[in-house]
Amino acid sequence: RLLARRAWEGDRRFLWAQSEPTAPGEAGLQPQAALLVVLESATFRAGGEADVRGRGEALVRLGRSYVEAGSGGLWLATVDESARPSSALPRASPPPGSADPSMLEGTAQRLRDAIARGAPAYNRGQARRCADIYLRAAREELRVSGARLVRDSLQEAVASAESLLREAEEADGGHARERKEKAAAWALRHAFDHVLTWIAYDSMPSGCTGCSVC
């Protein structure tokens, strides 16, 4: 409800991302993709809930991200203008090589399945297992996907992750190895989130979308 109120009383824009932002600066981490949403209308009810309607305006890359103190968990973020994704285009001019909606939904489901298996492993301290799960999923998607943005995003992440994992195997200490393995997992996860955000944006109707915010 705080997000909706802030956005409505401000410039009527907010950012939506597939997952919570990660701390910048670690080797191998790429800026995270997010959808810039413009609010079209908002109705605030007495109980604190809000019905809002808005439209996706563009895909952007997140810059500095942090939780505002005393907000109960509201994330604030800047937009990295130097790393705007190529998919930040009007839907009337989709990126060449876009796939049909059913193929994109298949891609989204496979990536979500990989995250569902990899994220718990990462949270248990098994960063290498997580990276391997993500890497297998990314390679398989490169084999079957015809969408250019999917392929461009995943090819870059796969190359980065493979390099980081090679460095991890050559690392002297356990801490250095673990840091490289974590970076590899996050390089792939950010690419997955970028693709999933783009698919969500691409599948929105050209008009407004609505939702309730508690």
Side-chain angles (χ1 to χ4, degrees):
R1 71 188 71 165
L2 180 58
L3 170 63
R5 178 71 70 178
R6 286 274 188 88
W8 186 248
E9 294 177 354
D11 65 359
R12 302 195 176 181
R13 286 174 167 79
F14 67 90
L15 295 166
W16 176 85
Q18 284 281 336
S19 60
E20 287 188 354
T22 51
E26 189 169 356
L29 293 188
Q30 300 298 317
Q32 186 171 351
L35 177 63
L36 178 63
V37 178
V38 178
L39 285 181
E40 301 282 356
S41 65
T43 302
F44 297 92
R45 299 196 291 271
E49 295 183 346
D51 291 321
V52 300
R53 295 183 66 83
R55 58 181 172 81
E57 183 173 77
L59 285 175
V60 298
R61 294 283 197 180
L62 297 183
R64 179 172 176 261
S65 306
Y66 59 97
V67 176
E68 181 181 282
S71 67
L74 177 65
W75 280 91
L76 302 179
T78 60
V79 172
D80 184 354
E81 296 291 346
S82 67
R84 185 176 289 266
S86 61
S87 53
L89 300 169
R91 231 185 322 275
S93 303
S98 293
D100 64 71
S102 62
M103 290 182 64
L104 291 178
E105 180 51 38
T107 292
Q109 187 58 56
R110 288 188 291 272
L111 295 185
R112 287 192 292 262
D113 288 345
I115 291 170
R117 290 182 288 114
Y122 186 96
N123 293 335
R124 291 193 301 268
Q126 299 173 314
R128 178 57 191 254
R129 176 170 171 77
C130 174
D132 287 341
I133 290 170
Y134 289 171
L135 191 56
R136 284 195 298 272
R139 287 169 172 163
E140 177 62 15
E141 207 56 47
L142 287 174
R143 188 183 69 82
V144 301
S145 177
R148 193 186 74 179
L149 183 139
V150 174
R151 297 187 63 81
D152 288 350
S153 297
L154 295 184
Q155 281 174 342
E156 181 180 354
V158 165
S160 176
E162 288 175 340
S163 176
L164 286 163
L165 291 176
R166 285 194 298 270
E167 292 174 12
E169 292 172 355
E170 298 168 0
D172 292 332
H175 178 71
R177 180 172 61 253
E178 182 183 24
R179 182 165 53 85
K180 295 292 185 181
E181 291 170 349
K182 286 182 175 180
W186 275 114
L188 291 160
R189 174 60 187 271
H190 282 337
F192 289 3
D193 287 346
H194 182 191
V195 171
L196 289 168
T197 301
W198 172 67
I199 291 174
Y201 171 60
D202 195 61
S203 63
M204 285 181 178
S206 58
C208 299
T209 59
C211 62
S212 295
V213 179
C214 298

